[in-house]
Every structure is written in structure tokens, then in C-alpha cells.
Amino acid sequence: MVRTVRTTSTAAALAAVLAAAALGLAPHQAQAAPATPSTAPSTAVSDASSELRFHDIPGSGGITLKGNVFTPAGAGAGAKYPLIVLPTSWGMPQIEYIAQAKKLADSGYVVVSYTSRGFWLSGGEIETAGPADTADVSAVIDWALATTPADAEHIGLGGVSYGAGISLLASARDPRVKAVVALSGWADLIESIYSGRTQHLQAAGLLGAAGYLTGRPGPELREILGDFLGSKLDKEPQMIEWGKKRSAAEQVDRINANGAAIMLGNAWGDTVFPPNQYAAFFEKLTGPKRLEFRPGDHATAEGTGLLGLPNDTWTNAHRWFDRYLKGERNGVDTEAPVQIKSRSNSGYEGYADWKSVGSGGTEKLMLSDSEHLFTGVDSGANGGIVLLSSVLDQFAQAPPVASIPLLPRAFAAVWQSPRYDEERRVRGTVRVHTTLTPTKSDGTFVAYLYDVGPLGLGKLISNAPYTFHDRPAGQSFGVDLDLFSTAYDVPAGHRLAVVVDSVDPLYIEHNPTGAQLTFSSPRTDPSYVSVPLREQ
């Protein structure tokens, strides 16, 4: 079955597609017929209306994927156009990219978007970016080359979140892919939702709930999710191996060998896929590459673009495709490959690589005083709420806050710097180095960095969890913990505060009842926080 919709504006496209999607809620048994070229008069592609059709697309393993195709106006008579394939995000239907797909088609692309397997009306079960998902991408490319005016020599992939992760993995599998735009995705699944060997409770719970509500989780995902949220530590090796198979960072050599141009975009406050793992992956890429970080939370930096509104992320995504699929000399490849926007101002900063982001040197804050805390009680310092707190920071510069003087010292360790005479522009990854002595063999703590104003109110700059198991009780050991990367300007007259406690609603904690933690600074191995700064 094929449905054709003529589109003349983003608003019209959205209205037409939503109506067509509503009609398509009944299961389809018949295979979609091949697309036929548009019969619209041939006019300038940038000004013309593209054509939208809905299709049943054969996926790998014999399943059917629900998809849609935008083709440029006037396509026909042997004309070929670059192809862009957009797998949908976790839990999203095929209309997710409709506004951006139309813009791309209007500028001369064939754009195929499809609902990822296991979700909504697409066949199969949720494989969480497993081999079947990457095989689906290749199957969709095959189908598009056979049934649309797509050019086999100019193929790109893109997507948000789940679609980003699948696209990166598919670029390792399919050498036909020449360009990838991966927004709010992951390259290392373990470091995303299990960093510091601590389960990111709210992120995993949100993904699991959305999967059950909008799709059909496969048996492997059901088992892994149950083991993960149930803290079945005897299953940790299997969980880690499962995550590695779904991490593009584990296949970076194949991605580099295939040579696709990779653009990565993410938000500083992404509570599902934090930015550190994207930055580490970016540094390992050897082909054309670009890394963009902006304020926001998961998928919020590009969210307005999905509605067809002006959006820097999508503007640069189009430029990336234009450069590496069309060969346009638009300057995107001559700009600094790392582009970041501070959470404190609206300007962009360009850097030659990720290591240069903290080019102004590193300031060490010595954690000289020994601090002792009881576990199991939330001190009031926490990382906020998944998807909400960083959105408030993005649009209102209102991150999670805590009154540093009022934090109960029995449950929170606190160190503060002197007040600064000049602004401090924090850029990159803050690292905590300390010596920990637990009273139990297992435990969890969360470290926070705050910007503290004159009244003692601290605005959260960054945080990260850390969990240990099977350590001898009462025996000290060293800890190095990277907080989530960020860009934040601390005003003159403010100070930095480091806070450590043992409970945060974002994470699962592993502190036995009655456990206590002591943080010390031996003379032979002083404790400190290393803060990377931008040059003044």
C-alpha cells in the first residue's frame, strides 16, 4: 500500500502526515508498491515542493518496517539524488523527522525515514541497536536504491537518540555510507547508563517504560533490563558484553576504515547519554568529523528542529550532508571541528580538538580536610530529574540548586574554594581525585561541583556517580572520578564547592545499612579537584 501526499510547506506536511498516519493505524498485510517518480513540473529544486509517500519497507530477517519517502519535485527521467536514511528514535513513529525530511528533499535529497524495528507498527522485537537493527539500515538502503531515484554513490545516515546510535553502528557495517549525523546519541552504551559502575536509574527506567509502552522488547532486552535495574551483580559481565556489542566505540576501527564523515551533537546536561563518551569517541575518529555541544538535556538541543522551527543543530546537519554528499563548499569542513556553546552565554566557541577545550590550563582545588559521612540519606545535593532539570537550565539558566551552608554535614562532605576576584570559565571535564575509606565492602557516592553565590546558594555545574564492590572494609583506596563534561562560567565574587553524598534519585546506590565513608588527603597522595579552564 502506498499513500502519496503533496507538500508545499512544513505546516502542511505535518498536517497531511498526521492525518495519513492516523489512517495507517490498522495493520497492513500487503507489501508496498515501488515508488514512482513525481509528475510535477520540473522547477528549481530549492523552491519546489517535494513529494511524500508512505511505504511498507522490507527489513532484515523478513520483517516489515513502516516508513515514508520524500523525493525532490521533478524527480524522474533517470535523475539521481543523494540518499539520506533516518531511523527513528526510541519509541517514536515514522513521522518523527517529517519537517527536516521535507527540508532535505526540497534541497535535493531522497529521504527515507522508518520506524525502528519492534516499535509501533514495524515488525520484529526491540533489539536495542543489535545486529538486526544495523542490518535493517542496509536493507532500507537496498530498497531505496531499487525503488527511488537514489544515488548509490552518495548515501548518508542520521537520527536523534536511538536513531543516532543505530546510524553510527551501521556506518561500521555498511561501507556505502559516506556521511553520518548522530544527534543526542551514544557511542559507548556502558559509559552512558552505567558510568562509574553505577546504574543510571531514571534514564534506564525511562527507556524501559517507553519501550514497553510503544513497542515489543525482545527476550534479551527484557532479561538485561531486569538484571540491570535489579542490581544482579553476578550478571554484570554479560550486561557489559551486551552493551559493548551495541557501542560504536568498540567498532571505531571499522568506522575509520570505511571513512564516513561523522558529525556528533549532544547537550551538556544529557541525562540519558552524557557528553563524555561522545567526546572520547570523537577523539578516536580519523576521518572528517565534527563535535557540537550545547546546553540542554536529552534530545532538547535539536527538538525544536523536529517541529520545523529554526534550529542551529539541524542547520549544521544539513550543511554536513551538503558538504559530504553533494560536495558543496559551504565551509563546514574548514571551521573548527569542535563547536561548543557555554551554559552561561549564547556565543559559540571553536576548538581544534576536544583536548583544546580546556586550553586555559587547569586549576586544582585541594581537598585537604578529612570528611566523614553516613550513607543512606539524601543530603539535598542531587543531579535533578531526568529530562527536566537540564531543560530548565537550557531555557532559563536554572540548574538544580542547593543551599551549601545548610547541607547536613553528617550526610554530605563539603569543600569550598575562596571567592574568585575574576570570572572562571569552566570548560571540559572536571576530575575528582581522593582517598576513600569505607566501613563496608560495597558502596556508592556521588560527587557534585557547584557555583556558589554570596548567599550560599549553589547552582549545579556537574556531577557523576561512583560505585565500588568487594573492597576490604576499613581499607583505604584511591579514586579518580570524571564528572560529566560541561561549559559553565563562574561569576567574579562566587566560589566553587565540591559536595559528596551517597544518595541521588538519578542513580541506584549500593550502600549497606549503617555504612560510612571517609574521604581523606594523605600527604603522599593529596586529594584535589582538577578544573579545566578557558583562557580569559
Side-chain angles (χ1 to χ4, degrees):
M1 174 180 260
V2 181
R3 293 182 181 83
T4 303
V5 181
R6 295 291 298 168
T7 62
T8 57
S9 69
T10 299
L14 284 170
V17 171
L18 289 170
L23 292 173
L25 290 178
H28 297 290
Q29 302 298 326
Q31 180 63 42
T36 55
S38 168
T39 57
S42 179
T43 57
V45 125
S46 60
D47 296 326
S49 300
S50 52
E51 182 176 272
L52 168 63
R53 294 188 175 199
F54 292 86
H55 290 269
D56 289 346
I57 302 174
S60 64
I63 72 161
T64 296
L65 301 169
K66 295 297 181 180
N68 58 69
V69 179
F70 272 100
T71 53
K80 294 291 184 180
Y81 302 90
L83 170 67
I84 296 175
V85 175
L86 304 172
T88 58
S89 302
W90 186 271
M92 295 295 288
Q94 58 170 294
I95 61 171
E96 176 184 11
Y97 303 111
I98 206 74
Q100 292 302 323
K102 179 192 173 341
K103 290 182 179 181
L104 287 164
D106 285 348
S107 66
Y109 291 95
V110 172
V111 186
V112 180
S113 178
Y114 66 92
T115 304
S116 298
R117 72 164 48 221
F119 289 101
W120 297 96
L121 295 178
S122 280
E125 296 177 317
I126 302 172
E127 303 288 344
T128 321
D133 290 294
T134 54
D136 283 344
V137 174
S138 294
V140 171
I141 291 174
D142 293 340
W143 177 85
L145 294 177
T147 60
T148 75
D151 183 352
E153 300 301 316
H154 300 91
I155 297 173
L157 303 177
V160 175
S161 186
Y162 192 50
I166 290 174
S167 294
L168 287 174
L169 289 161
S171 72
R173 171 191 174 98
D174 197 324
R176 295 175 296 180
V177 177
K178 298 299 188 291
V180 176
V181 172
L183 307 176
S184 289
W186 78 92
D188 188 327
L189 193 56
I190 300 301
E191 283 302 307
S192 293
I193 61 174
Y194 197 34
S195 68
R197 289 300 180 265
T198 308
Q199 299 104 311
H200 293 210
L201 172 62
Q202 291 185 16
L206 178 68
L207 293 173
Y212 278 99
L213 285 172
T214 63
R216 301 168 299 283
E220 190 175 24
L221 173 58
R222 294 197 298 269
E223 180 180 0
I224 288 291
L225 192 61
D227 292 343
F228 185 80
L229 294 176
S231 298
K232 296 182 180 179
L233 299 179
D234 59 319
K235 299 292 186 69
E236 184 182 59
Q238 295 94 313
M239 289 188 285
I240 290 177
E241 185 61 27
W242 179 86
K244 285 183 175 180
K245 290 179 180 178
R246 289 156 172 81
S247 297
E250 297 291 323
Q251 302 184 42
V252 68
D253 290 342
R254 294 179 62 182
I255 293 173
N256 286 334
N258 288 341
I262 309 291
M263 174 181 161
L264 307 171
N266 205 354
W268 295 120
D270 194 319
T271 46
V272 179
F273 303 130
N276 302 46
Q277 45 91 30
Y278 246 19
F281 176 68
F282 171 83
E283 289 290 86
K284 296 177 183 177
L285 294 172
T286 58
K289 59 184 180 178
R290 183 179 177 95
L291 176 67
E292 299 183 355
F293 285 142
R294 298 178 176 84
D297 206 315
H298 185 63
T300 64
E302 55 273 357
T304 55
L306 294 175
L307 301 175
L309 301 174
N311 181 278
D312 291 351
T313 304
W314 281 105
T315 295
N316 288 336
H318 288 228
R319 294 173 65 215
W320 192 255
F321 284 135
D322 289 346
R323 176 66 187 93
Y324 291 103
L325 297 183
K326 290 183 178 179
E328 292 184 3
R329 298 288 179 179
N330 56 20
V332 72
D333 56 328
T334 61
E335 298 170 357
V338 176
Q339 296 285 327
I340 69 172
K341 179 184 284 189
S342 168
R343 291 162 50 199
S344 306
N345 60 65
S346 59
Y348 282 93
E349 302 167 7
Y351 298 89
D353 51 33
W354 176 248
K355 291 177 291 188
S356 300
V357 171
S359 57
T362 300
E363 180 173 334
K364 278 190 176 181
L365 307 179
M366 304 311 297
L367 310 181
S368 55
D369 296 331
S370 179
E371 293 281 349
H372 179 88
L373 61 90
F374 295 89
T375 65
V377 175
D378 188 346
S379 70
N382 63 67
I385 300 172
V386 66
L387 292 184
L388 175 61
S389 296
S390 292
V391 172
L392 293 174
D393 185 36
Q394 176 183 0
F395 293 106
Q397 293 190 1
V401 298
S403 176
I404 305 303
L406 297 181
L407 291 176
R409 294 310 197 258
F411 307 111
V414 179
W415 299 266
Q416 295 192 74
S417 74
R419 285 193 174 90
Y420 293 118
D421 294 331
E422 296 180 343
E423 179 185 60
R424 292 293 194 275
R425 293 186 281 186
V426 180
R427 298 290 185 274
T429 307
V430 174
R431 170 168 289 190
V432 176
H433 173 75
T434 189
T435 295
L436 173 61
T437 307
T439 60
K440 305 288 185 179
S441 60
D442 302 320
T444 298
F445 71 86
V446 184
Y448 309 88
L449 184 68
Y450 284 97
D451 161 24
V452 184
L455 299 179
L457 189 66
K459 293 184 177 181
L460 184 66
I461 298 175
S462 187
N463 77 99
Y466 183 91
T467 293
F468 59 90
H469 295 290
D470 300 323
R471 290 281 185 175
Q475 184 171 318
S476 301
F477 61 94
V479 173
D480 286 297
L481 175 62
D482 287 347
L483 306 191
F484 300 135
S485 302
T486 193
Y488 184 95
D489 300 336
V490 180
H494 287 213
R495 66 177 75 199
L496 289 172
V498 178
V499 177
V500 175
D501 74 0
S502 64
V503 176
D504 190 309
L506 286 173
Y507 313 112
I508 292 178
E509 54 99 2
H510 295 266
N511 295 298
T513 301
Q516 301 173 41
L517 304 175
T518 299
F519 298 88
S520 59
S521 182
R523 290 183 180 180
T524 56
D525 186 19
S527 296
Y528 61 85
V529 172
S530 175
V531 181
L533 302 173
R534 182 191 175 197
E535 293 180 357
Q536 295 293 333

